[in-house]
Amino acid sequence: MTESQRAERVIELAPSVLPCDFGRLGEELQALEEAGVDRIHWDVMDGVFVPNITIGAPVIASCRRYSTLPYEVHLMIVDPERYISEFVEAGCELITVHAEATRHLHRTLGLIKSFGVRAGVALNPATPLTDVEYVMDQLDVLMIMSVNPGFGGQHYIGAMDAKILAAVALREATNPEVKIEVDGGVSEETIQECVMNGAEVLVSGSALLAHRGDLASAVENFHQLARDARP
């Protein structure tokens, strides 16, 4: 990445819907779009890979009509390859799987790409970057988990700062087109450090949606903090 590209780097905000009111999810999605977020982040958990259960493809499909923003889905499920087609049909343009949750990561990424959508891989905090070194050519997004997945509202793990920096170095050495995404504990207190280290897509749930009185101001504040922190 050149110096001019770094200067022009757009930092995207992808709010997780996990803390939303699921009884009025359509309205919540419309409010997020009107507030100026860049994409919608869906957390899918199976109670096996992570200790929680959330939603499946039918819920996402039923909500597709409420927003024109890109939908990305973060599959925290074992053997995600079994359900890729369902999430594509539900309207997800980016599908991210965990390296730890599929036996044949290269094959799973190829399956995602075969549907004409973008592919991402997420790494748990303790999972080394070497686990994705040989699939970087298939990636659109590399997601660094800055909390242990399974629950919202957790605190950012500071040791992930070094991992984000290392992820950027790996990206530059292998596939400069890959975006670095950070998920977990992204708040007003941590967002600038994430961006300074190289994050380009920021997933925030509880911290962003806590500002329910004025969501647009909260989104603008997050965007401004990110812009100010760009290297």
Side-chain angles (χ1 to χ4, degrees), residues 154-231:
Q154 299 185 69
H155 294 295
Y156 182 89
I157 299 173
M160 294 304 101
D161 289 343
K163 192 173 184 181
I164 297 168
L165 284 168
V168 172
L170 175 63
R171 184 266 305 277
E172 296 300 307
T174 55
N175 183 359
E177 300 303 314
V178 174
K179 286 186 175 292
I180 305 300
E181 185 164 358
V182 175
D183 184 359
V186 176
S187 67
E188 292 170 309
E189 290 72 35
T190 61
I191 188 171
Q192 291 191 306
E193 194 71 21
C194 290
V195 173
M196 289 173 64
N197 289 325
E200 296 160 303
V201 183
L202 301 162
V203 180
S204 183
S206 302
L208 180 66
L209 295 177
H211 298 267
R212 289 198 175 277
D214 191 351
L215 185 57
S217 294
V219 170
E220 175 54 30
N221 185 44
F222 271 58
H223 274 139
Q224 187 60 55
L225 288 169
R227 287 192 292 268
D228 291 345
R230 284 184 304 185

Coordinates of all heavy atoms in Angstrom, one line a residue, residues 154-231:
Q154 N -18.0 -7.4 25.7 CA -16.7 -7.8 26.3 C -15.7 -6.7 26.1 O -15.8 -5.8 25.3 CB -16.2 -9.1 25.7 CG -17.1 -10.3 25.9 CD -16.4 -11.5 25.4 OE1 -15.5 -12.0 26.0 NE2 -16.9 -12.1 24.3
H155 N -14.6 -6.7 27.0 CA -13.5 -5.8 26.9 C -12.5 -6.2 25.9 O -12.1 -7.4 25.8 CB -12.9 -5.6 28.3 CG -13.8 -5.0 29.3 ND1 -14.3 -3.7 29.2 CD2 -14.4 -5.5 30.4 CE1 -15.1 -3.4 30.2 NE2 -15.1 -4.5 31.0
Y156 N -12.0 -5.2 25.2 CA -10.9 -5.4 24.2 C -9.7 -6.0 24.8 O -9.2 -5.6 25.9 CB -10.6 -4.0 23.5 CG -9.6 -4.1 22.4 CD1 -10.0 -4.3 21.1 CD2 -8.2 -3.8 22.7 CE1 -9.0 -4.2 20.1 CE2 -7.3 -3.8 21.7 CZ -7.7 -4.0 20.4 OH -6.8 -4.0 19.4
I157 N -9.1 -7.0 24.1 CA -7.9 -7.7 24.6 C -6.7 -6.9 24.0 O -6.4 -6.9 22.8 CB -7.8 -9.1 24.2 CG1 -9.0 -9.9 24.8 CG2 -6.5 -9.8 24.6 CD1 -9.1 -11.3 24.3
G158 N -6.0 -6.2 24.9 CA -4.9 -5.3 24.4 C -3.8 -6.0 23.6 O -3.1 -5.4 22.8
A159 N -3.6 -7.3 23.9 CA -2.5 -8.0 23.2 C -2.8 -8.1 21.7 O -1.9 -8.4 20.9 CB -2.4 -9.4 23.8
M160 N -4.1 -7.9 21.3 CA -4.4 -8.0 19.9 C -3.9 -6.8 19.1 O -3.9 -6.8 17.8 CB -5.9 -8.1 19.7 CG -6.6 -9.3 20.3 SD -5.8 -10.9 19.6 CE -4.7 -11.4 20.9
D161 N -3.4 -5.7 19.7 CA -2.8 -4.6 19.0 C -1.6 -5.2 18.1 O -1.5 -4.8 17.0 CB -2.2 -3.6 20.0 CG -3.4 -2.8 20.6 OD1 -4.5 -2.8 20.2 OD2 -3.1 -2.1 21.7
A162 N -0.8 -6.0 18.7 CA 0.4 -6.5 18.0 C -0.1 -7.5 16.9 O 0.5 -7.6 15.8 CB 1.3 -7.3 19.0
K163 N -1.2 -8.2 17.2 CA -1.7 -9.1 16.1 C -2.2 -8.4 14.9 O -2.1 -8.8 13.8 CB -2.8 -10.0 16.8 CG -3.2 -11.2 15.9 CD -4.1 -12.1 16.6 CE -4.4 -13.4 15.8 NZ -5.3 -14.3 16.6
I164 N -2.9 -7.3 15.2 CA -3.4 -6.4 14.0 C -2.2 -5.9 13.2 O -2.3 -6.0 12.0 CB -4.2 -5.3 14.6 CG1 -5.5 -5.8 15.3 CG2 -4.6 -4.4 13.4 CD1 -6.2 -4.7 16.1
L165 N -1.2 -5.5 13.9 CA 0.0 -5.0 13.1 C 0.6 -6.1 12.3 O 1.0 -5.9 11.2 CB 1.1 -4.5 14.1 CG 0.8 -3.1 14.7 CD1 1.7 -2.9 15.9 CD2 1.0 -2.0 13.7
A166 N 0.7 -7.3 12.9 CA 1.2 -8.5 12.2 C 0.3 -8.9 11.0 O 0.8 -9.3 10.0 CB 1.4 -9.6 13.2
A167 N -1.0 -8.8 11.2 CA -1.9 -9.1 10.1 C -1.7 -8.1 8.9 O -1.8 -8.6 7.8 CB -3.4 -9.0 10.6
V168 N -1.5 -6.9 9.2 CA -1.2 -5.9 8.2 C 0.1 -6.3 7.4 O 0.1 -6.3 6.2 CB -1.1 -4.5 8.7 CG1 -0.6 -3.5 7.7 CG2 -2.4 -4.0 9.3
A169 N 1.1 -6.7 8.2 CA 2.4 -7.1 7.5 C 2.2 -8.3 6.6 O 2.7 -8.4 5.5 CB 3.4 -7.4 8.6
L170 N 1.4 -9.3 7.1 CA 1.1 -10.5 6.3 C 0.3 -10.1 5.1 O 0.6 -10.6 4.0 CB 0.3 -11.5 7.2 CG -0.2 -12.7 6.5 CD1 1.0 -13.6 6.0 CD2 -1.1 -13.6 7.4
R171 N -0.7 -9.2 5.2 CA -1.4 -8.8 4.1 C -0.6 -8.1 3.0 O -0.7 -8.4 1.8 CB -2.5 -7.8 4.6 CG -3.5 -7.3 3.5 CD -3.1 -6.0 2.9 NE -2.8 -4.9 3.8 CZ -3.8 -4.1 4.4 NH1 -5.1 -4.3 4.1 NH2 -3.4 -3.2 5.2
E172 N 0.3 -7.2 3.5 CA 1.2 -6.5 2.5 C 2.1 -7.5 1.8 O 2.5 -7.3 0.6 CB 2.0 -5.5 3.3 CG 1.2 -4.4 3.9 CD 0.4 -3.6 2.8 OE1 1.0 -3.1 1.9 OE2 -0.8 -3.5 3.0
A173 N 2.5 -8.6 2.5 CA 3.4 -9.5 1.9 C 2.8 -10.6 1.0 O 3.4 -11.2 0.1 CB 4.2 -10.3 3.0
T174 N 1.4 -10.7 1.1 CA 0.8 -11.8 0.4 C -0.3 -11.3 -0.6 O -0.4 -11.7 -1.7 CB 0.2 -12.8 1.3 OG1 -0.7 -12.1 2.3 CG2 1.3 -13.5 2.1
N175 N -1.2 -10.5 -0.1 CA -2.4 -10.0 -0.9 C -2.9 -8.7 -0.4 O -3.7 -8.6 0.5 CB -3.5 -11.0 -0.7 CG -4.7 -10.7 -1.6 OD1 -4.7 -9.7 -2.3 ND2 -5.8 -11.5 -1.5
P176 N -2.3 -7.6 -1.0 CA -2.6 -6.2 -0.5 C -4.1 -5.8 -0.6 O -4.5 -4.8 0.0 CB -1.8 -5.4 -1.4 CG -0.7 -6.2 -1.9 CD -1.3 -7.6 -2.0
E177 N -4.9 -6.6 -1.3 CA -6.3 -6.3 -1.4 C -7.2 -6.7 -0.2 O -8.3 -6.3 -0.1 CB -6.9 -7.0 -2.7 CG -6.2 -6.6 -4.0 CD -6.2 -5.1 -4.2 OE1 -7.3 -4.5 -4.0 OE2 -5.2 -4.5 -4.5
V178 N -6.6 -7.5 0.7 CA -7.3 -8.0 1.8 C -7.6 -6.8 2.8 O -6.7 -6.1 3.1 CB -6.6 -9.1 2.5 CG1 -7.3 -9.5 3.9 CG2 -6.5 -10.3 1.6
K179 N -8.8 -6.7 3.3 CA -9.1 -5.7 4.3 C -9.0 -6.4 5.7 O -9.3 -7.5 5.9 CB -10.5 -5.2 4.2 CG -10.7 -4.2 3.0 CD -12.1 -3.6 3.0 CE -12.2 -2.6 1.9 NZ -11.4 -1.4 2.2
I180 N -8.4 -5.6 6.6 CA -8.3 -6.1 8.0 C -9.4 -5.6 8.8 O -9.7 -4.4 8.9 CB -6.9 -5.6 8.6 CG1 -5.7 -6.0 7.8 CG2 -6.8 -6.1 10.1 CD1 -5.6 -7.4 7.6
E181 N -10.2 -6.5 9.4 CA -11.4 -6.2 10.2 C -11.1 -6.6 11.7 O -10.4 -7.6 11.9 CB -12.6 -7.0 9.7 CG -13.9 -6.7 10.3 CD -15.1 -7.1 9.5 OE1 -14.9 -7.7 8.4 OE2 -16.2 -7.0 10.0
V182 N -11.6 -5.8 12.6 CA -11.4 -6.1 14.0 C -12.8 -6.1 14.6 O -13.7 -5.3 14.4 CB -10.6 -5.0 14.7 CG1 -10.5 -5.2 16.2 CG2 -9.2 -5.0 14.1
D183 N -13.0 -7.2 15.4 CA -14.3 -7.5 16.1 C -14.1 -7.8 17.5 O -13.4 -8.7 17.9 CB -15.0 -8.6 15.3 CG -16.4 -8.9 15.9 OD1 -16.8 -8.2 16.8 OD2 -17.0 -9.9 15.3
G184 N -14.7 -6.9 18.4 CA -14.7 -7.2 19.8 C -14.2 -6.1 20.6 O -13.0 -5.7 20.5
G185 N -15.0 -5.5 21.5 CA -14.6 -4.4 22.4 C -14.2 -3.1 21.7 O -13.5 -2.3 22.3
V186 N -14.7 -2.9 20.4 CA -14.4 -1.7 19.7 C -15.3 -0.6 20.3 O -16.5 -0.7 20.2 CB -14.6 -1.8 18.2 CG1 -14.3 -0.5 17.5 CG2 -13.6 -2.9 17.7
S187 N -14.7 0.4 20.9 CA -15.4 1.5 21.5 C -14.7 2.8 21.3 O -13.7 2.9 20.6 CB -15.5 1.2 23.0 OG -14.2 1.3 23.6
E188 N -15.2 3.9 21.9 CA -14.6 5.2 21.8 C -13.2 5.2 22.4 O -12.3 5.9 22.0 CB -15.4 6.3 22.5 CG -16.7 6.5 21.8 CD -17.7 7.4 22.6 OE1 -17.9 7.1 23.8 OE2 -18.2 8.4 22.0
E189 N -13.0 4.3 23.3 CA -11.7 4.2 24.0 C -10.6 3.4 23.2 O -9.4 3.5 23.4 CB -11.8 3.6 25.4 CG -12.5 4.5 26.4 CD -14.0 4.6 26.2 OE1 -14.6 3.6 25.7 OE2 -14.6 5.7 26.4
T190 N -11.1 2.5 22.3 CA -10.2 1.6 21.6 C -10.1 1.8 20.1 O -9.2 1.2 19.5 CB -10.6 0.1 21.9 OG1 -11.9 -0.1 21.4 CG2 -10.5 -0.2 23.4
I191 N -11.0 2.5 19.6 CA -11.1 2.6 18.1 C -9.9 3.2 17.5 O -9.4 2.7 16.4 CB -12.4 3.4 17.7 CG1 -12.6 3.3 16.2 CG2 -12.4 4.8 18.2 CD1 -14.0 3.9 15.8
Q192 N -9.3 4.2 18.1 CA -8.2 4.9 17.5 C -6.9 4.0 17.5 O -6.2 4.0 16.5 CB -7.9 6.2 18.2 CG -9.0 7.2 17.9 CD -8.6 8.6 18.4 OE1 -8.2 8.8 19.5 NE2 -8.7 9.6 17.5
E193 N -6.8 3.2 18.5 CA -5.6 2.3 18.6 C -5.8 1.2 17.5 O -4.8 0.9 16.8 CB -5.5 1.6 19.9 CG -4.2 0.9 20.2 CD -3.0 1.8 20.4 OE1 -3.3 3.0 20.7 OE2 -1.9 1.4 20.2
C194 N -7.0 0.7 17.3 CA -7.3 -0.3 16.2 C -6.9 0.3 14.8 O -6.2 -0.4 14.1 CB -8.8 -0.7 16.2 SG -9.3 -1.6 17.6
V195 N -7.3 1.5 14.6 CA -7.1 2.1 13.3 C -5.6 2.4 13.1 O -5.0 2.2 12.0 CB -7.9 3.4 13.1 CG1 -7.6 4.2 11.8 CG2 -9.4 3.1 13.1
M196 N -5.0 2.9 14.1 CA -3.5 3.2 14.0 C -2.7 2.0 13.7 O -1.7 2.0 13.0 CB -3.0 3.9 15.3 CG -3.5 5.3 15.5 SD -3.1 6.0 17.2 CE -1.4 6.0 17.1
N197 N -3.2 0.9 14.2 CA -2.5 -0.4 14.0 C -2.8 -1.0 12.6 O -2.1 -1.9 12.2 CB -2.8 -1.4 15.1 CG -2.2 -1.0 16.4 OD1 -1.1 -0.5 16.4 ND2 -2.9 -1.3 17.5
G198 N -3.8 -0.5 11.9 CA -4.1 -1.0 10.6 C -5.5 -1.5 10.3 O -5.8 -1.9 9.2
A199 N -6.4 -1.5 11.3 CA -7.8 -1.9 11.0 C -8.5 -1.0 10.1 O -8.4 0.2 10.1 CB -8.5 -2.0 12.4
E200 N -9.3 -1.6 9.2 CA -10.0 -0.9 8.1 C -11.5 -1.1 8.2 O -12.3 -0.3 7.7 CB -9.5 -1.3 6.7 CG -8.1 -1.0 6.5 CD -7.5 -1.8 5.4 OE1 -7.5 -3.1 5.4 OE2 -7.0 -1.2 4.4
V201 N -11.9 -2.2 8.9 CA -13.3 -2.4 9.2 C -13.5 -2.6 10.6 O -12.8 -3.5 11.2 CB -13.9 -3.6 8.4 CG1 -15.4 -3.7 8.6 CG2 -13.6 -3.4 6.9
L202 N -14.4 -1.9 11.3 CA -14.5 -2.0 12.7 C -15.9 -2.5 13.1 O -16.9 -1.9 12.7 CB -14.3 -0.6 13.3 CG -12.9 0.0 13.1 CD1 -13.0 1.5 13.3 CD2 -11.9 -0.7 13.9
V203 N -16.0 -3.6 13.8 CA -17.3 -4.1 14.3 C -17.5 -3.6 15.7 O -16.7 -3.8 16.6 CB -17.3 -5.7 14.2 CG1 -18.6 -6.2 14.7 CG2 -17.0 -6.2 12.8
S204 N -18.6 -2.9 15.9 CA -19.0 -2.5 17.2 C -20.4 -2.7 17.5 O -21.3 -2.4 16.6 CB -18.7 -1.0 17.4 OG -18.9 -0.5 18.7
G205 N -20.7 -3.3 18.6 CA -22.1 -3.6 19.0 C -22.6 -2.8 20.1 O -23.1 -1.7 20.0
S206 N -22.3 -3.3 21.3 CA -22.8 -2.7 22.6 C -22.3 -1.2 22.7 O -23.1 -0.3 23.1 CB -22.3 -3.5 23.8 OG -22.7 -4.8 23.7
A207 N -21.0 -0.9 22.4 CA -20.5 0.4 22.6 C -21.2 1.4 21.7 O -21.5 2.6 22.2 CB -19.0 0.4 22.4
L208 N -21.5 1.1 20.5 CA -22.1 2.0 19.6 C -23.6 2.1 19.9 O -24.1 3.2 20.0 CB -22.0 1.5 18.1 CG -22.6 2.4 17.1 CD1 -21.9 3.7 17.0 CD2 -22.5 1.7 15.7
L209 N -24.3 1.0 20.1 CA -25.7 1.1 20.3 C -26.2 1.5 21.7 O -27.3 1.8 21.9 CB -26.4 -0.3 20.0 CG -26.2 -0.7 18.5 CD1 -26.7 -2.1 18.3 CD2 -26.9 0.2 17.6
A210 N -25.2 1.7 22.6 CA -25.5 2.2 23.9 C -26.0 3.7 23.8 O -26.7 4.2 24.6 CB -24.3 2.1 24.8
H211 N -25.6 4.4 22.7 CA -26.0 5.8 22.5 C -27.3 5.8 21.8 O -27.5 6.4 20.7 CB -24.9 6.4 21.6 CG -23.5 6.5 22.2 ND1 -23.1 7.5 23.0 CD2 -22.5 5.6 22.2 CE1 -21.9 7.3 23.4 NE2 -21.5 6.1 22.9
R212 N -28.3 5.2 22.3 CA -29.6 5.1 21.7 C -30.3 6.5 21.6 O -31.2 6.7 20.7 CB -30.5 4.1 22.4 CG -30.1 2.7 22.2 CD -31.2 1.8 22.5 NE -30.8 0.4 22.2 CZ -30.9 -0.2 21.1 NH1 -31.3 0.5 20.0 NH2 -30.5 -1.4 20.8
G213 N -30.0 7.4 22.4 CA -30.6 8.7 22.3 C -30.3 9.5 21.0 O -31.2 10.2 20.5
D214 N -29.1 9.3 20.5 CA -28.7 10.0 19.3 C -27.7 9.1 18.6 O -26.5 9.3 18.6 CB -28.1 11.3 19.7 CG -27.9 12.2 18.5 OD1 -28.1 11.7 17.3 OD2 -27.5 13.4 18.7
L215 N -28.3 8.1 17.8 CA -27.4 7.2 17.1 C -26.6 7.8 16.1 O -25.4 7.5 15.9 CB -28.3 6.1 16.6 CG -27.6 4.9 15.9 CD1 -26.7 4.2 16.8 CD2 -28.6 3.9 15.3
A216 N -27.2 8.8 15.4 CA -26.4 9.4 14.3 C -25.2 10.1 14.8 O -24.1 10.1 14.2 CB -27.3 10.4 13.5
S217 N -25.3 10.8 16.0 CA -24.1 11.4 16.6 C -23.1 10.4 17.0 O -21.9 10.7 16.9 CB -24.6 12.3 17.8 OG -25.4 13.3 17.4
A218 N -23.5 9.3 17.5 CA -22.6 8.2 17.9 C -21.8 7.7 16.7 O -20.6 7.5 16.8 CB -23.4 7.1 18.6
V219 N -22.5 7.5 15.6 CA -21.9 7.0 14.4 C -20.9 8.0 13.9 O -19.8 7.6 13.5 CB -22.9 6.6 13.3 CG1 -22.3 6.3 12.0 CG2 -23.8 5.4 13.8
E220 N -21.3 9.2 13.8 CA -20.4 10.3 13.4 C -19.1 10.4 14.3 O -18.0 10.6 13.8 CB -21.1 11.6 13.3 CG -20.2 12.8 12.9 CD -19.4 12.6 11.7 OE1 -19.8 11.9 10.7 OE2 -18.2 13.1 11.6
N221 N -19.3 10.2 15.6 CA -18.2 10.3 16.5 C -17.2 9.2 16.2 O -16.0 9.4 16.2 CB -18.7 10.2 17.9 CG -17.6 10.4 19.0 OD1 -16.7 11.3 18.8 ND2 -17.6 9.6 20.0
F222 N -17.8 7.9 16.0 CA -16.9 6.8 15.7 C -16.1 7.0 14.4 O -14.9 6.8 14.4 CB -17.8 5.5 15.6 CG -17.9 4.8 16.9 CD1 -18.5 5.4 18.0 CD2 -17.5 3.5 17.1 CE1 -18.7 4.8 19.2 CE2 -17.7 2.8 18.3 CZ -18.3 3.4 19.4
H223 N -16.9 7.5 13.4 CA -16.2 7.8 12.1 C -15.1 8.9 12.3 O -14.0 8.7 11.7 CB -17.2 8.3 11.1 CG -17.9 7.1 10.4 ND1 -19.3 7.2 10.1 CD2 -17.5 6.0 9.9 CE1 -19.6 6.1 9.4 NE2 -18.5 5.3 9.3
Q224 N -15.4 9.9 13.1 CA -14.4 11.0 13.2 C -13.2 10.5 14.0 O -12.0 10.8 13.6 CB -15.0 12.1 14.0 CG -14.1 13.4 14.0 CD -13.8 13.9 12.7 OE1 -14.7 14.2 11.8 NE2 -12.5 14.0 12.3
L225 N -13.4 9.7 15.0 CA -12.3 9.1 15.8 C -11.4 8.3 14.8 O -10.2 8.3 14.9 CB -12.8 8.3 16.9 CG -13.4 9.1 18.1 CD1 -14.1 8.1 19.1 CD2 -12.3 9.8 18.8
A226 N -12.1 7.5 14.0 CA -11.3 6.7 13.0 C -10.5 7.5 12.0 O -9.4 7.2 11.7 CB -12.3 5.7 12.3
R227 N -11.2 8.6 11.5 CA -10.5 9.4 10.5 C -9.3 10.1 11.2 O -8.2 10.2 10.6 CB -11.5 10.5 10.0 CG -12.5 10.0 9.0 CD -13.2 11.1 8.3 NE -14.0 11.9 9.2 CZ -15.3 11.6 9.5 NH1 -15.9 10.6 8.8 NH2 -16.0 12.4 10.3
D228 N -9.4 10.5 12.4 CA -8.3 11.2 13.1 C -7.2 10.3 13.4 O -6.0 10.7 13.5 CB -8.8 11.8 14.4 CG -9.8 12.9 14.3 OD1 -9.9 13.5 13.1 OD2 -10.5 13.3 15.2
A229 N -7.4 9.0 13.4 CA -6.4 8.0 13.8 C -5.7 7.4 12.6 O -4.7 6.7 12.8 CB -7.0 6.9 14.6
R230 N -6.1 7.7 11.4 CA -5.5 7.1 10.2 C -4.0 7.5 10.2 O -3.7 8.7 10.3 CB -6.2 7.6 8.9 CG -7.5 6.9 8.7 CD -8.1 7.3 7.3 NE -8.2 8.8 7.3 CZ -8.8 9.5 6.2 NH1 -9.2 8.8 5.2 NH2 -8.8 10.8 6.2
P231 N -3.2 6.5 10.0 CA -1.7 6.8 9.9 C -1.4 7.7 8.7 O -2.1 7.6 7.7 CB -1.1 5.4 9.7 CG -2.1 4.4 10.1 CD -3.5 5.0 9.9

